[in-house]
Amino acid sequence: MESAVDPKEKFIRYYFYLYLAVIFLHLAFNLQGSSATLYTYFLIAGLMGVATIALPLRHSLPFMFFFLIFEGQGRILTGYNPFFRIVFDLYLAIIILKNLVKVRILFPKDKLPLLIYTLFIMHFAWWTIEIFNPRGANVFASLATSKFYIFPIVLFLGILSSDLRVESKEFQNYLFWYFIVLFIGIILCGVQMNFGADFMHGISPNYSYLFKKYQAYSGKLFRPWGTTHIPGGYSGILCYVVGFIFMFRSSDDMGVSLSKRKVRIRYVIYIIFILASWYTMLISQVRTLFIQNLMITILCILLRVWGSKAKSKTILALTVGTLISVGVSSLFLNNLTDFSDKFQLANSIVRIEQLDKTGIMSKRASPSTVLDKLSSDMEIPFGWGPGMTTTFLPAFVEAQKKRWDLKRYQFWALDNFYVFALLELGLGGIFIILISFFIPAFIFKYMVKLKGVQEENSLSSMAPALAVGIVVIIANWGAVLLPFNPASFFYWFYVAIAMKEYNRMVTKYPQFETSANRVEDQALPPAL
């Protein structure tokens, strides 16, 4: 006799399908180039708001993954209305704070390595001091930087303490529908590329007139918007979602394995999705994200092979899949005239050479330039104050203008996360930098342990965290990725799932734990 379905879980399931139906309607209006997208966006935002308040984190957070796809378009459709500009951050803050009230602990010390625990405490303490930095904008503006300095980490800590489980049937269902929605978004990008800027103007004139810079993205320079707030912005989402592929389980939460036929079909779908993502990123002309995605995909595959019991079969399947993918994609791209006109290797090389001649490449990437920038502009010990290298709020722009000893251009952080952290937080910036390095290091250590006991599902779930962690460390040299979405959202989710998975395995294999690994065995003050 089957156990009765929990009425609350049944309601949540129906509520999700209502949310999904509105999302599909919104995508349909987008594919038609209809201005009705404004009204379906309001419905999506409203349903997400109710979910934020009413649902536990294990449901509301997956809902947010869907909302992340559309919140950017909402900014455009509403003319950058102040509420809809911050609605994603507001909803995420509510989810985080609501979960914090539920678990009643900020730092779950039994789930964190001692070093990471200590770095988190020091980073939080330093940022609190920085709020009152007299060189900064003001207290309220500095508090607003919790959006990228504090809340992503609190989200990570909240996931560790939550009952969200990747292997659960509900999460696997969310993943399935998430990829369906993402794939329709890829089709939408193709439609937009085919019809050009006029198609976007039919959805909303704001795509052309809201900001003067948008007018440059027309004609041959047009980039598909997808459902984001910037031309080519859909690439930012596609770049990091590839990790979710490795979170799909080959068995359900009851341990029943899928048939070989279903597994093969999944692999085919994965390959199609990855190829379609690459095509979208290329027509969106965002090469850096394409390279990051390529690195994440390759690293995930290599880690999956490394953790596989049947390595020979896995390598053979991946080799055949790669050959087919390369062959199909080559034939496909060679038959696209517009694509070959825009993406010639020679043109790309010439463009890079021209950038190099202007000095832009060296200014952004040269270690000597970074050292010169820090030695001349870094203020010890407290830096310029949080947010002072950004135009995130008008208060930061005003504060930059008031600095008689610095010119406006000097507030540029060289598109380098490490420079960004040290200029804004001074010596305390080293804490967030070390966190970004040590978290992937611990995840690798955990994966080595799990490989010894052949926990393939756990290794597969942890692979995206290590892959994204490594890529973010590298890419942070040429961009400020870690603090800002979508990279921040996906990064902290992946690493939280990896550490949560390891903690789950610790209960299964107690021999993994030593007194050197956990905070609970150390003489530290009680958790906050």
Side-chain angles (χ1 to χ4, degrees):
M1 183 177 178
E2 293 185 2
S3 59
V5 178
D6 183 349
K8 186 176 180 180
E9 291 298 318
K10 188 175 182 180
F11 168 78
I12 292 173
R13 189 187 313 135
Y14 286 139
Y15 189 81
F16 170 66
Y17 288 130
L18 172 63
Y19 183 57
L20 201 58
V22 176
I23 285 173
F24 285 140
L25 183 61
H26 184 74
L27 287 168
F29 284 146
N30 266 284
L31 288 166
Q32 293 175 345
S34 170
S35 59
T37 50
L38 174 64
Y39 307 107
T40 48
Y41 173 73
F42 286 150
L43 286 174
I44 292 171
L47 290 169
M48 183 66 244
V50 173
T52 298
I53 297 169
L55 303 184
L57 183 142
R58 73 175 187 275
H59 290 292
S60 57
L61 191 60
F63 272 58
M64 285 292 284
F65 281 113
F66 289 88
F67 190 57
L68 179 64
I69 300 174
F70 304 101
E71 66 88 16
Q73 185 176 45
R75 301 185 210 179
I76 302 296
L77 296 175
T78 60
Y80 262 70
N81 175 278
F83 173 77
F84 288 103
R85 182 180 181 181
I86 65 166
V87 66
F88 181 85
D89 301 314
L90 177 64
Y91 285 170
L92 192 59
I94 292 172
I95 291 172
I96 291 169
L97 294 174
K98 197 176 71 159
N99 183 73
L100 187 59
V101 170
K102 178 183 176 182
V103 300
R104 299 181 181 180
I105 185 170
L106 177 56
F107 297 100
K109 62 180 183 179
D110 60 322
K111 297 178 173 63
L112 289 169
L114 171 61
L115 180 59
I116 300 299
Y117 176 89
T118 305
L119 287 172
F120 279 158
I121 294 289
M122 296 178 79
H123 171 67
F124 275 55
W126 190 274
W127 177 82
T128 303
I129 295 170
E130 284 287 348
I131 293 173
F132 306 99
N133 188 336
R135 307 286 275 176
N138 58 59
V139 172
F140 296 106
S142 297
L143 273 172
T145 64
S146 61
K147 166 187 173 178
F148 47 84
Y149 276 124
I150 300 298
F151 274 97
I153 297 175
V154 180
L155 172 65
F156 162 82
L157 297 169
I159 294 171
L160 283 184
S161 303
S162 75
D163 54 358
L164 187 150
R165 295 186 302 123
V166 169
E167 71 278 5
S168 68
K169 186 177 181 180
E170 61 193 22
F171 189 85
Q172 293 293 308
N173 186 51
Y174 287 136
L175 276 188
F176 171 78
W177 287 110
Y178 190 56
F179 273 93
I180 297 294
V181 171
L182 285 168
F183 197 79
I184 296 174
I186 288 173
I187 294 172
L188 175 62
C189 287
V191 171
Q192 292 174 355
M193 193 68 186
N194 185 54
F195 289 103
D198 291 339
F199 180 81
M200 304 306 300
H201 302 162
I203 296 174
S204 172
N206 289 339
Y207 279 104
S208 176
Y209 303 114
L210 186 61
F211 296 115
K212 187 176 181 180
K213 62 183 179 180
Y214 288 168
Q215 297 175 20
Y217 296 100
S218 59
K220 291 185 177 181
L221 296 178
F222 177 76
R223 300 180 182 185
W225 296 67
T227 51
T228 68
H229 65 291
I230 53 175
Y234 203 66
S235 298
I237 297 172
L238 293 177
C239 176
Y240 302 105
V241 296
V242 66
F244 281 126
I245 289 176
F246 298 87
M247 290 187 178
F248 275 111
R249 295 298 199 223
S250 57
S251 59
D252 60 26
D253 55 351
M254 300 299 292
V256 179
S257 298
L258 297 175
S259 66
K260 289 184 177 180
R261 179 174 171 272
K262 287 185 177 180
V263 172
R264 290 192 188 102
I265 291 173
R266 275 193 177 186
Y267 281 128
V268 172
I269 293 172
Y270 298 160
I271 291 172
I272 292 172
F273 179 82
I274 290 171
L275 289 176
S277 297
W278 288 350
Y279 171 70
T280 304
M281 282 184 271
L282 288 172
I283 64 171
S284 298
Q285 304 173 50
V286 191
R287 292 175 177 86
T288 55
L289 289 174
F290 171 73
I291 293 170
Q292 286 182 51
N293 179 271
L294 193 63
M295 291 171 65
I296 292 169
T297 304
I298 292 171
L299 282 170
C300 283
I301 290 172
L302 291 175
L303 290 168
R304 184 71 182 86
V305 172
W306 174 69
S308 174
K309 297 175 186 176
K311 286 187 172 56
S312 58
K313 290 183 179 179
T314 306
I315 292 171
L316 179 61
L318 289 171
T319 302
V320 172
T322 302
L323 291 174
I324 293 173
S325 301
V326 171
V328 171
S329 57
S330 296
L331 289 171
F332 180 57
L333 296 178
N334 285 337
N335 284 286
L336 291 174
T337 306
D338 291 340
F339 183 87
S340 59
D341 287 343
K342 291 178 182 176
F343 295 97
Q344 293 181 10
L345 180 60
N347 290 342
S348 296
I349 293 173
V350 168
R351 180 173 178 269
I352 291 171
E353 288 175 345
Q354 289 174 342
L355 288 173
D356 190 48
K357 287 178 181 178
T358 63
I360 292 176
M361 298 292 281
S362 61
K363 287 179 181 178
R364 292 181 64 180
S366 168
S368 60
T369 303
V370 167
L371 291 174
D372 289 343
K373 175 72 174 177
L374 293 175
S375 62
S376 63
D377 293 344
M378 180 181 172
E379 296 181 356
I380 297 173
F382 296 112
W384 294 337
M388 283 296 290
T389 66
T390 74
T391 55
F392 170 50
L393 291 175
F396 296 125
V397 178
E398 291 302 315
Q400 291 168 9
K401 290 178 180 178
K402 291 178 181 178
R403 288 291 300 266
W404 60 269
D405 55 330
L406 292 171
K407 296 181 180 179
R408 283 293 308 283
Y409 74 85
Q410 288 180 272
F411 287 94
W412 181 43
L414 304 182
D415 287 342
N416 185 303
F417 165 71
Y418 308 109
V419 175
F420 166 87
L422 293 170
L423 288 180
E424 290 202 353
L425 303 181
L427 295 177
I430 195 67
F431 300 135
I432 190 68
I433 291 172
L434 290 176
I435 287 168
S436 72
F437 276 87
F438 280 115
I439 283 182
F442 273 100
I443 290 172
F444 177 69
K445 174 185 174 182
Y446 296 160
M447 291 183 72
V448 171
K449 288 185 177 183
L450 291 177
K451 183 179 182 297
V453 292
Q454 297 185 331
E455 285 287 348
E456 286 193 63
N457 277 337
S458 294
L459 285 167
S460 189
S461 292
M462 296 171 80
L466 183 55
V468 171
I470 292 171
V471 170
V472 165
I473 286 173
I474 297 169
N476 268 335
W477 188 262
V480 185
L481 283 181
L482 189 58
F484 302 112
N485 291 328
S488 175
F489 188 58
F490 286 109
Y491 172 88
W492 288 108
F493 177 80
Y494 284 141
V495 297
I497 290 299
M499 287 204 169
K500 189 177 182 68
E501 190 67 19
Y502 178 72
N503 284 317
R504 189 173 73 90
M505 287 295 103
V506 166
T507 61
K508 187 175 179 180
Y509 304 101
Q511 68 270 26
F512 284 167
E513 277 311 301
T514 64
S515 59
N517 289 336
R518 292 288 151 180
V519 179
E520 60 186 4
D521 297 310
Q522 307 297 320
L524 284 177
L528 299 181

